[in-house]
Amino acid sequence: MNLRVETRTPREGVAVIALSGEADVYTSPRIKQEIVDLLNNGTTKLVVDLTSVEYLDSTGLGVLIGGLKRARERDGDLKLICDNLRILRIFEITGLTKIFDIYRSESDALEKL
């Protein structure tokens, strides 16, 4: 039940949300609130860095899907950074690799926004 959320803005209209720890039923509301706050403040291009996430459950996946939907409703996007094979496997098993653009590095993700 431990999650750290750090957000920074590398350029106008773009935010990188770095998560570390566990993204689960207990911590996912923090992630959702961060995404909603950024979108409501006009930041429509989001990158969620899952590199330091140790655990991701269905609630965490749902928050990411909701964030992608909300971003696209505002003509934005939400991309993921993940190099953890165990977490990537979750996206593959659930078929979410077809929905999300997943990159291995922040520079690759930012380049595609």
Side-chain angles (χ1 to χ4, degrees), residues 77-92:
D77 204 356
L78 185 148
K79 300 194 180 298
L80 303 176
I81 303 168
C82 185
D83 63 357
N84 180 327
L85 295 178
R86 198 173 56 144
I87 301 296
L88 278 171
R89 185 80 179 123
I90 294 168
F91 285 92
E92 290 168 357

Side-chain angles (χ1 to χ4, degrees), residues 42-76:
T43 303
T44 59
K45 295 183 184 331
L46 308 176
V47 175
V48 179
D49 186 347
L50 303 173
T51 305
S52 297
V53 169
E54 299 160 9
Y55 177 78
L56 178 68
D57 73 2
S58 59
T59 308
L61 288 174
V63 166
L64 294 173
I65 293 166
L68 176 63
K69 182 181 177 209
R70 285 181 182 89
R72 288 188 175 163
E73 286 170 352
R74 292 169 169 83
D75 294 322

